[in-house]
Amino acid sequence: MAAAVAAAAFPAGAQPPSRQIGTEPWPGPDTAPWPTGDAVDAGFDPAGLEQLAHLAETTHADSLLVIRHGRLVFERYWNDRGPDDVQQTYSGTKSAFSLLVGRVLARGDIESLDQPLVDFVPELAGQTRDLMTFRNVMAMTSGLAQWPALDREDREAGRSQLEAVLARGMTHAPHDYFIYHNAAYRVLFTALERATGLSLPDLTRRELFEPLGMEGAYWVEIHTDERLLGYQSIRMRPRDLAKVGQVLLNDGLWNGQRYLPAEYIAQLRTAPALKANPSYGLFWHLNAGDWYLTYRESDFVRRRLLPGTPPDAVAAWGASGQIAVVVPSLDLVWVRTGRRIPSNIWTPGGTTAQLSAAAVAAVKQ
């Protein structure tokens, strides 16, 4: 078992603090390592890539990778990090998790993205939680109650991730209202485990880590002294986060093989509730909308999420700036990881938008 990687602080008198413990890393070799290529041959201005790298370094990045035409053409690390070091991806895991849902769907263990979660998690019945589906949860439009006080209550009560959902009712009809929702997302862990009969780490090893050759990747679990509360996120190499992006870029192909149906990938890249938020698909941020909603407050921002980047771009984003941006029209994927970043993806003109615009500007042909 991997060593504990963090601890959570709890108020005095509350439940015992939880801790994060890594599961066993996937032991297999990377059977599909990135082929490398020359940046100039791939159509980049080397000076532009250096400007991108300078921006990444000065905004506390640990890594920067650029892939074009399926080849790794630029890779740089800082802060004593290297290609084999895994990074906790936080909410960047949601985008990788979307691939896992697709694989379970292809296995036939779930019928469709519109199947009610109560089919697998009957405890959800009541308070109209029966209306929660894979699709509306992945779109952050399930309607389940969400505000910071509820998250704080969950922590102080020592609730498991499933118990946290069962303590909440519904405040909106599905697809009527967008709010970024970690609690609703995490009930999908239980749904997939029950649908497949496998633990989430075992399922992920079979359907994500092994097919994509994600060497050394593993889930981080959240524990108290007495029990498993749930899962935090996947720790993976930046090269593996880039693989997740490349699957999106290639319409479900990986290493020349069909990994997911193209129709499923198209669903991930499509906002299912344009009136709620045109800039969010299914666990992927979209650059297609002319407005977006922010994280906890759901504040309205009338601009593209990534100005200076083509509108077909999609992005994975996790806390501290675990980023993968996919630009199909340029056949481009870039990745940035790190332990902190000056601003999040929702900050107008923030670091993510600046990095993305710089990556696009470096493409000359």
Side-chain angles (χ1 to χ4, degrees):
M1 184 74 73
V5 296
F10 274 58
Q15 294 294 317
S18 61
R19 64 190 187 279
Q20 296 182 16
I21 299 177
T23 59
E24 291 292 337
W26 184 67
D30 186 346
T31 55
W34 282 105
T36 59
D38 181 79
V40 173
D41 291 344
F44 283 99
D45 171 18
L49 287 177
E50 288 300 329
Q51 291 174 4
L52 171 64
H54 177 72
L55 176 59
E57 181 180 16
T58 56
T59 52
H60 317 300
D62 288 342
S63 76
L64 175 69
L65 286 70
V66 181
I67 295 97
R68 193 158 193 234
H69 307 320
R71 293 184 175 273
L72 179 63
V73 300
F74 190 88
E75 183 176 33
R76 193 160 295 177
Y77 296 88
W78 299 275
N79 305 319
D80 298 319
R81 309 286 283 183
D84 295 328
D85 290 317
V86 295
Q87 168 65 49
Q88 191 146 318
T89 51
Y90 301 104
S91 284
T93 293
K94 292 183 176 75
S95 298
F97 187 83
S98 74
L99 305 189
L100 187 61
V101 173
R103 292 283 286 190
V104 174
L105 181 62
R107 286 165 51 118
D109 292 316
I110 60 178
E111 296 173 0
S112 77
L113 293 182
D114 297 309
Q115 186 170 6
L117 299 184
V118 72
D119 288 357
F120 306 103
V121 190
E123 302 97 309
L124 289 172
Q127 301 191 59
T128 66
R129 289 189 302 253
D130 312 63
L131 300 176
M132 295 175 70
T133 66
F134 289 94
R135 189 186 307 277
N136 61 46
V137 168
M138 294 171 73
M140 302 292 180
T141 57
S142 67
L144 188 71
Q146 171 61 24
W147 50 85
L150 293 177
D151 297 334
R152 184 170 58 252
E153 288 174 12
D154 294 336
R155 292 192 299 270
E156 293 177 353
R159 292 176 181 140
S160 71
Q161 291 172 347
L162 176 57
E163 290 165 348
V165 173
L166 300 181
R168 304 178 187 215
M170 302 286 273
T171 57
H172 297 81
H175 295 309
D176 277 359
Y177 180 72
F178 173 94
I179 189 164
Y180 201 85
H181 208 312
N182 286 319
Y185 151 60
R186 289 168 178 152
V187 79
L188 298 186
F189 302 164
T190 301
L192 290 195
E193 288 186 327
R194 294 184 182 177
T196 63
L198 296 168
S199 71
L200 186 63
D202 285 346
L203 176 65
T204 308
R205 282 191 283 267
R206 291 189 189 190
E207 301 296 342
L208 186 68
F209 298 164
E210 183 175 2
L212 300 188
M214 296 171 68
E215 184 176 354
Y218 59 90
W219 273 98
V220 174
E221 297 177 337
I222 303 174
H223 288 253
T224 64
D225 291 340
E226 295 80 20
R227 61 180 183 146
L228 169 67
L229 299 182
Y231 304 92
Q232 210 294 326
S233 64
I234 296 171
R235 290 171 63 89
M236 67 179 83
R237 301 174 302 168
R239 289 179 177 182
D240 295 327
L241 185 55
K243 291 179 179 183
V244 171
Q246 193 70 26
V247 170
L248 262 285
L249 181 68
N250 287 347
D251 295 326
L253 292 175
W254 172 248
N255 199 30
Q257 303 295 316
R258 176 58 61 189
Y259 175 70
L260 283 169
E263 297 81 2
Y264 179 76
I265 298 297
Q267 292 182 75
L268 301 183
R269 298 188 304 212
T270 302
L274 291 172
K275 291 182 179 179
N277 187 354
S279 300
Y280 201 79
L282 302 182
F283 287 155
W284 287 86
H285 299 274
L286 310 180
N287 203 37
D290 57 6
W291 58 272
Y292 65 88
L293 297 177
T294 60
Y295 174 42
R296 285 195 182 276
E297 300 81 9
S298 289
D299 289 333
F300 181 96
V301 180
R302 187 173 288 283
R303 64 186 297 173
R304 290 196 191 280
L305 193 63
L306 301 174
T309 297
D312 65 337
V314 299
W317 201 91
S320 300
Q322 321 316 321
I323 307 166
V325 174
V326 179
V327 189
S329 58
L330 297 178
D331 201 9
L332 170 68
V333 176
W334 66 267
V335 164
R336 179 266 190 210
T337 66
R339 280 162 280 189
R340 60 189 176 114
I341 194 169
S343 56
N344 63 39
I345 193 172
W346 299 276
T347 304
T351 305
T352 305
Q354 294 174 37
L355 288 167
S356 192
V360 169
V363 178
K364 296 304 179 184
Q365 59 179 355

